[in-house]
């Protein structure tokens, strides 16, 4: 069965292509008086004609050939131009000489002659590769020399194609040409490329109805403020508009962690989402295990001895190590092995240092650290300083995935980029007020800043422009750490000095949820990277709260059910 062939009632496919140049419902042009058949509709709008064709194409792809034929007969429409149907059939069958003849018939229907040349090149390219795969080297060489080369089109590609003659076998050919090989799959992709040169009135784009429906569902998903689940187009009902319930969003407290005995300054989930680290002014760093089934956190290990307190935490990308930093007057950092509990290194270059922030390179073998007293180091796992940058008063750090670029917010209200290998630096963005903290999303393009007295700002690091200022949060001169999170990092969350947690959709400035429960400043928010419905918040009230959809609560009897009085509730916005 061919994907989009022409119903038999369309008549002689050898008819001249000039007979039909506009529309696909002028069956009279090919079938004489077919439009006057019983039930035929002569006064259909263009929209109705398009819908009939789309339905016909979808039914044909399902194999309902007779149904399609009846639909086209009764509507008086034609699924696609006969010459186009014949062309598709010959391409799918690998009949390249016939395909070339068909292409000549279609010339009058292609606006650009350059388009015809491109289509001919694509056909011959497929023919050449299939001949090579079949081991027909002489025929492939003939195609290359006498058919492809004389086109004098894309000579660079022709030279590349000629190099494939040296491939030792079909697997080598597929790898070198980045090609799937002879068969339905590669030919179907070829048809998709070829149809892009033809007007849709002549040849419908493949799976066009499904594409339109997917676009509609995607639009509905984008307009849904609480969409935070994996999206499977086939599982979505087309009978109703898509909408997510607020109950599916992390608006309720699932668990309160009370193990710290002083202000909790930082929380951070491991990159694989299986653990949560919490740091406190009490000098302890606690690691918790996350049960992905029950959504419950259990104590894993406590690291002690941080005499200045723990105000910043960074997991290595491989989930093996964790680094703990202290506040402004702390000249030390601790690098722990999370699995065995060993202290890999306690780093301190000088009592005059201030090592308050840290970021890992993507290889988990190096990290950068610094502070507001002017220290800025690149180090290995043993705490050895590999490189240093003089005179940069660092407020916060982030490493790009290229393994070279480091972004640093400094005391000049800006973020600059640094390359320790090449000893180069460059300006990125400038704010009008102090940058208290920032984080970068997974793509490395977007930066989320907490700006003193201003709140939360979203910047595009590539275009170096301010995209959005989020409303609601109270941000003074306390260090508050916000985060990206949720499915595809579509959401943003931040703590606030008014004791609340604010959540926004990334594209909207007004919060979609305000979480209440903490009784003092919420200093840090972190979203679980593998559980889009879970986030953790740290507060000066000495607690860590785990938030999630209310539907998570039934999964474990041990999860705390918090009443509205002690909170765990969200304020509607």
């Amino acid at each position: 069965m061919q994907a989009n062939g022409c119903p038999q009632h369309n008549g002689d496919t050898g008819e001249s292509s000039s007979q039909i140049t506009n529309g696909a419902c002028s069956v009279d042009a090919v079938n004489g008086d077919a439009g006057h058949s019983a039930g035929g509709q002569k006064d259909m709008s263009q929209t109705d004609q398009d819908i009939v064709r789309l339905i016909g194409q979808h039914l044909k792809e399902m194999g309902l050939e007779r149904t399609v034929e009846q639909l086209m007969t009764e509507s008086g429409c034609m699924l696609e131009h006969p010459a186009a149907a014949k062309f598709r059939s010959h391409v799918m069958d690998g009949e390249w000489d016939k395909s070339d003849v068909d292409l000549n018939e279609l010339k009058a229907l292609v606006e650009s002659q350059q388009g015809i040349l491109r289509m001919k090149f694509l056909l011959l390219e497929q023919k050449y590769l299939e001949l090579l795969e079949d081991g027909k080297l002489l025929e492939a060489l003939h195609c290359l020399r006498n058919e492809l080369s004389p086109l004098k089109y894309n000579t660079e590609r022709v030279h590349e194609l000629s190099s494939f003659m040296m491939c030792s076998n079909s697997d080598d050919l597929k790898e070198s040409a980045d090609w799937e090989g002879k068969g339905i799959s590669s030919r179907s992709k070829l048809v998709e490329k070829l149809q892009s040169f033809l007007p849709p009135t002549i040849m419908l784009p493949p799976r066009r109805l499904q594409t339109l429906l997917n676009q509609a569902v995607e639009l509905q998903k984008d307009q849904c403020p609480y969409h935070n689940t994996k999206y499977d187009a086939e599982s979505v009902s087309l009978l109703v508009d898509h909408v997510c319930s607020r109950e599916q969003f992390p608006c309720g407290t699932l668990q309160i962690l009370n193990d710290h005995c002083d202000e909790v300054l930082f929380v951070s989930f491991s990159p694989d989402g299986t653990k949560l680290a919490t740091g406190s002014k009490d000098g302890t760093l606690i690691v918790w295990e996350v049960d992905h089934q029950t959504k419950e956190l259990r104590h894993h290990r406590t690291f002690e001895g941080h005499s200045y307190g723990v105000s910043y935490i960074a997991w290595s990308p491989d989930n093996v190590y964790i680094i703990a930093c202290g506040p402004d007057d702390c000249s030390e950092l601790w690098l722990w092995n999370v699995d065995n509990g060993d202290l890999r290194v306690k780093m301190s270059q000088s009592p005059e240092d201030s090592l308050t922030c840290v970021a890992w390179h993507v290889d988990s073998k190096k990290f950068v650290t610094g502070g507001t007293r002017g220290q800025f180091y690149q180090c290995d796992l043993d705490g050895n300083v590999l490189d240093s940058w003089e005179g940069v008063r660092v407020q916060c750090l982030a490493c790009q995935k290229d393994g070279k670029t480091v972004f640093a917010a400094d005391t000049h209200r800006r973020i600059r980029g640094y390359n320790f290998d090449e000893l180069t630096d460059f300006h990125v963005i400038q704010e009008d007020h102090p940058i208290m903290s920032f984080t970068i999303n997974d793509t490395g393009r977007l930066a989320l800043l907490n700006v003193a007295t201003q709140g939360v700002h979203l910047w595009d690091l590539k275009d170096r422009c301010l995209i959005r200022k989020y409303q609601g949060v109270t941000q003074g001169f306390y260090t508050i750490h916000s985060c990206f999170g949720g499915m595809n990092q579509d959401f943003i969350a931040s703590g606030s000095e008014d004791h609340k947690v604010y959540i926004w959709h990334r594209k909207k400035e007004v919060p979609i949820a305000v979480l209440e429960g903490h009784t003092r400043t919420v200093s840090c928010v972190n979203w679980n990277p593998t559980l889009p419905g879970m986030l953790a918040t740290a507060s000066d009230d000495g607690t860590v709260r785990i938030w999630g959809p209310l539907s998570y609560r039934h999964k474990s009897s041990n999860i705390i059910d918090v009443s509205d009085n002690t909170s765990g509730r969200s304020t509607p916005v």
Side-chain angles (χ1 to χ4, degrees):
M1 181 191 74
Q2 302 305 318
N4 289 318
C6 181
Q8 293 178 358
H9 78 279
N10 281 341
D12 183 9
T13 57
E15 199 85 30
S16 170
S17 62
S18 63
Q19 290 180 283
I20 301 179
T21 57
N22 294 306
C25 285
S26 301
V27 183
D28 298 354
V30 177
N31 283 349
D33 201 31
H36 293 286
S37 61
Q41 301 295 321
K42 295 299 294 180
D43 298 320
M44 296 176 66
S45 69
Q46 185 60 52
T47 298
D48 287 337
Q49 294 174 28
D50 292 345
I51 292 173
V52 168
R53 294 182 66 207
L54 291 172
I55 294 172
Q57 183 194 47
H58 186 71
L59 294 175
K60 191 170 186 66
E61 289 170 351
M62 295 175 62
L64 303 177
E65 301 279 348
R66 293 175 61 187
T67 304
V68 175
E69 184 174 346
Q70 183 68 21
L71 174 63
M72 295 300 122
T73 299
E74 291 189 4
S75 66
C77 291
M78 181 169 59
L79 187 60
E80 59 184 11
H81 192 284
K86 185 173 59 171
F87 180 53
R88 181 195 303 275
S89 177
H90 288 154
V91 171
M92 292 301 297
D93 291 340
E95 298 185 55
W96 309 117
D97 292 340
K98 292 182 179 179
S99 298
D100 187 58
V101 174
D102 298 335
L103 189 57
N104 289 327
E105 291 183 22
L106 291 169
K107 278 184 179 181
L109 305 175
V110 179
E111 295 181 0
S112 168
Q113 289 306 305
Q114 188 72 8
I116 289 290
L117 182 61
R118 173 64 174 157
M119 292 173 75
K120 191 175 185 70
F121 185 88
L122 290 171
L123 283 171
L124 292 173
E125 180 182 45
Q126 179 80 12
K127 174 184 177 180
Y128 170 74
L129 291 172
E130 291 193 11
L131 288 171
L132 281 183
E133 184 179 351
D134 290 340
K136 300 177 180 179
L137 299 184
L138 291 178
E139 293 181 43
L141 184 61
H142 180 273
C143 175
L144 184 69
R145 288 180 174 175
N146 301 312
E147 295 180 273
L148 273 167
S149 295
L151 292 179
K152 296 182 180 179
Y153 177 83
N154 200 349
T155 54
E156 184 177 345
R157 176 59 175 168
V158 172
H159 292 155
E160 186 179 13
L161 290 172
S162 67
S163 68
F164 300 152
M165 296 283 291
M166 304 303 295
C167 293
S168 57
N169 52 52
S170 61
D171 291 336
D172 188 19
L173 171 65
K174 293 173 187 176
E175 182 178 354
S176 300
D178 190 21
W179 180 61
E180 292 182 76
K182 179 180 178 180
I184 293 177
S185 179
S186 65
R187 289 176 182 174
S188 295
K189 291 182 178 179
L190 172 61
V191 169
E192 289 189 25
K193 292 179 182 178
L194 293 170
Q195 68 82 28
S196 65
F197 296 94
L198 294 169
T201 53
I202 303 303
M203 190 177 191
L204 280 174
R207 300 176 296 280
R208 182 58 184 164
L209 180 60
Q210 191 64 45
T211 298
L212 290 172
L213 293 174
N214 287 343
Q215 290 173 356
V217 174
E218 282 291 334
L219 178 62
Q220 293 172 26
K221 184 196 75 172
D222 288 342
Q223 293 176 342
C224 173
Y226 302 112
H227 186 83
N228 193 32
T229 57
K230 288 184 178 179
Y231 172 67
D232 182 357
E234 294 184 359
S235 66
V236 175
S237 173
L238 299 174
L239 305 181
V240 295
D241 287 347
H242 170 77
V243 62
C244 291
S245 167
R246 186 183 176 86
E247 298 297 311
Q248 299 171 269
F249 203 71
C251 291
T253 297
L254 304 181
Q255 194 172 358
I256 302 176
L257 309 178
N258 293 295
D259 288 40
H260 290 293
C261 58
D262 206 333
E263 299 173 4
V264 185
L265 303 175
F266 206 88
V267 289
S268 179
F269 284 101
S270 58
D272 62 6
T274 62
K275 293 180 176 66
L276 174 72
T278 61
S280 171
K281 193 175 180 179
D282 65 11
T284 63
L285 166 64
I286 302 178
V287 176
W288 310 80
E289 290 185 352
V290 180
D291 190 318
H292 279 224
Q293 296 298 318
T294 65
K295 309 301 187 290
E296 183 179 4
L297 276 69
R298 300 183 181 89
H299 181 273
H300 173 68
R301 196 182 301 277
T302 298
F303 299 96
E304 299 176 327
H306 310 89
S307 54
Y308 293 87
V310 178
S311 61
Y312 196 89
I313 296 168
W315 287 87
S316 62
D318 61 7
N319 305 285
V320 175
Y321 297 105
I322 193 167
I323 295 177
C325 298
D328 288 345
D329 55 349
C330 179
S331 61
E332 306 167 336
L333 65 77
W334 294 259
L335 195 161
W336 299 93
N337 185 307
V338 178
D339 294 330
N340 59 30
D342 290 345
L343 178 63
R344 174 70 182 255
V345 66
K346 178 181 178 181
M347 175 182 163
S348 179
Q349 289 298 111
S350 166
E352 302 303 318
D353 281 359
S354 175
L355 304 181
T356 57
C357 56
V358 67
W360 287 87
H361 281 294
V362 67
D363 62 2
S364 297
K365 295 179 180 179
K366 294 186 296 184
F367 62 88
V368 289
T369 182
T372 55
R373 295 180 182 173
Q375 289 73 43
F376 191 12
Y377 304 134
Q378 181 167 253
C379 311
D380 63 17
L381 291 177
D382 294 319
N384 299 314
V385 176
L386 305 176
D387 304 283
S388 65
W389 212 288
E390 297 296 329
V392 181
R393 298 180 181 273
V394 179
Q395 184 72 28
C396 195
L397 292 165
C399 292
Q400 284 284 52
K401 292 184 178 180
D402 61 6
K404 299 178 181 180
T405 306
V406 179
F407 289 132
D410 59 32
T411 54
H412 295 286
R413 306 174 180 180
R414 65 189 180 184
I415 292 179
R416 292 182 65 80
Y418 298 87
N419 186 316
F420 279 90
D421 295 340
E422 300 173 3
L423 295 180
T424 57
D425 63 321
F426 55 93
H427 176 75
V428 182
I429 60 176
Q430 178 75 53
E431 280 279 2
D432 295 329
H433 297 80
I435 300 171
M436 307 309 295
S437 68
F438 79 96
T439 185
I440 296 176
N441 75 338
D442 288 345
T443 67
R445 177 159 185 169
L446 299 178
L448 191 64
L449 282 61
N450 282 74
V451 183
T453 72
Q454 301 300 299
V456 181
H457 293 179
L458 182 68
W459 283 81
D460 186 313
L461 297 177
K462 182 178 180 181
D463 293 339
R464 302 182 184 182
C465 63
L466 178 62
I467 300 175
R468 200 160 284 114
K469 296 181 179 181
Y470 296 100
Q471 302 174 15
V473 68
T474 303
Q475 169 77 65
F477 287 90
Y478 286 105
T479 299
I480 294 176
H481 301 274
S482 56
C483 69
F484 294 94
M487 188 62 60
N488 302 318
Q489 293 193 317
D490 284 336
F491 301 96
I492 283 169
S494 178
S496 176
E497 292 180 21
D498 63 3
H499 314 165
K500 300 173 184 178
V501 180
Y502 290 81
I503 301 178
W504 303 266
H505 192 283
R506 198 177 69 202
K507 297 179 181 179
K508 306 292 183 181
E509 294 184 358
V510 177
I512 61 173
V514 181
L515 312 183
E516 298 184 28
H518 288 294
T519 57
R520 294 182 63 188
T521 294
V522 180
S523 56
C524 185
V525 182
N526 196 247
W527 218 298
N528 191 306
T530 57
L531 285 176
M534 177 182 287
L535 66 152
T537 58
S539 172
D540 290 355
D541 64 13
T543 68
V544 173
R545 283 181 178 255
I546 307 301
W547 306 82
L550 298 180
S551 59
Y552 278 5
R553 287 184 174 177
H554 75 279
K555 296 178 184 287
S556 173
S557 60
N558 296 323
I559 293 181
I560 297 173
D561 185 10
V562 184
S563 68
D564 281 350
N565 291 330
T566 58
S567 204
R569 58 190 172 89
S570 63
T571 303
V573 294

